[in-house]
Each structure stands twice: as C-alpha cells, then as structure tokens.
Amino acid sequence: ALVNRSSDAIAEQVLRGGLDLGIVTLPCRRPELEEEELFRQRLVLVAPRNHPLAKARRVPLESLAHEPLLLIDAQTRTGALLRDYFKQSGFIAQVVLDSGSFEVIKRYVAEGVGLSFVPEAVIAPGDARLAAAEIPGLPMVPIGVIRRRGAYRSKAECAFIEILRACA
C-alpha cells in the first residue's frame, strides 16, 4: 500500500512497523531508523502566468522582498529548510499563507494570491497557469528512503529500493 503523509508521520509509521519503508525528506535523525539519500530536489519559484516575473528564467531572492509568499508549513522539513535559508540570507519573507500541501499552494498561486517555492517535480504538465523560475542559491531538498534498523528485508522491498536507486 502507498501512503502519502508528512515525513514525520511516515517515520512514525515505519518505526511502529505499519510501513516497511518510507520515502521522505531527509534528514530524519532517528537512531532507530536507517536512511539513504536517493536524490536532491530542486526548489523553484512559481508565479501565475500573468505575473511580471512569469517570463523570467532566474529571479534574485532580493527582488521578492515585497511579494506576498505562500510557503509550505514551517513544521515540514522543506518549510524549515526554506526559512533557514531566508534567515541566513537576511531575507524577510512576506508570508500570507502557510500550507501543508504543495497542491494547495499551487492552486492559490494560480489564482494570483502570491508566489511560492515548490520542488520542481511537483509542477506537472497540466499546470499551465503557473510559471517557474530559478532562484540562484536556493537549497536543494534531500529525498531518501528510511527503514527500521535490523528489520527483515523482503525480496520485493530490496527490488523496490534498487529501482529507486536506478531511477535516482
């Protein structure tokens, strides 16, 4: 079965034995779990197609100082990573909405509520109302697999992990 939850919720289910493994944003930092990074996701700025920045390929972070921003919740690893980056950069974000869902954020951005930062992979070909741009220096988001230390590894689980490694 596939379960779509926050990285922390997935880690809890793996710890309890409800899931054999989880694909999460790293680091997990739980000694009972082993983690393996598979790839890093690039974050991009998303804007509605009619926004002045929609035609830009690269946008400096400083140029967003007065833009309303919709951010993934600070309790998520990606949200915390973004906020740490802003703090280190001296950037003060004008946050108008925190959400736990990139899909919700994309809908609000398409409606013109504000701009956001999302993993490039969540922008689908059907998101024609959105435009993406690179923000130089934006951190990459590490994605990996977590498993209980010492737990039995089925052939199916090992094969699945090998497929993930090959695709990464």
Side-chain angles (χ1 to χ4, degrees):
L2 291 175
V3 177
N4 184 7
R5 300 282 183 272
S6 71
S7 293
D8 286 335
I10 294 295
E12 283 301 318
Q13 288 188 13
V14 171
L15 277 172
R16 288 195 317 265
L19 296 172
D20 293 327
L21 57 91
I23 309 299
V24 299
T25 303
L26 297 176
C28 203
R29 293 192 179 105
R30 296 194 185 205
E32 310 92 342
L33 297 176
E34 62 182 51
E35 54 188 67
E36 174 186 345
E37 185 175 309
L38 296 171
F39 60 92
R40 290 182 171 249
Q41 284 187 335
R42 187 167 81 119
L43 292 172
V44 294
L45 174 73
V46 287
R49 282 268 177 220
N50 61 353
H51 191 279
L53 293 174
K55 291 182 177 37
R57 287 243 192 280
R58 292 171 59 103
V59 176
L61 185 62
E62 311 80 55
S63 69
L64 304 176
H66 301 292
E67 295 286 348
L69 296 176
L70 303 104
L71 297 182
I72 194 73
D73 193 282
Q75 302 307 310
T76 66
R77 291 192 183 95
T78 301
L81 182 74
L82 270 171
R83 285 162 179 82
D84 286 347
Y85 176 72
F86 294 162
K87 188 175 181 179
Q88 291 169 8
S89 302
F91 177 73
I92 299 171
Q94 305 302 317
V95 181
V96 296
L97 174 78
D98 281 312
S99 174
S101 164
F102 286 120
E103 291 304 314
V104 169
I105 287 172
K106 287 186 337 182
R107 275 185 255 145
Y108 279 118
V109 169
E111 293 297 324
V113 174
L115 309 179
S116 190
F117 304 91
V118 301
E120 190 172 36
V122 305
I123 301 173
D127 292 328
R129 296 172 54 198
L130 298 175
E134 180 186 347
I135 302 287
L138 210 56
M140 301 282 274
V141 179
I143 304 297
V145 63
I146 56 171
R147 300 173 285 217
R148 279 173 285 130
R149 286 194 190 282
Y152 171 76
R153 308 274 182 250
S154 69
K155 285 186 177 183
E157 181 181 338
C158 292
F160 182 64
I161 296 296
E162 285 307 312
I163 290 168
L164 292 174
R165 286 181 187 135
C167 293

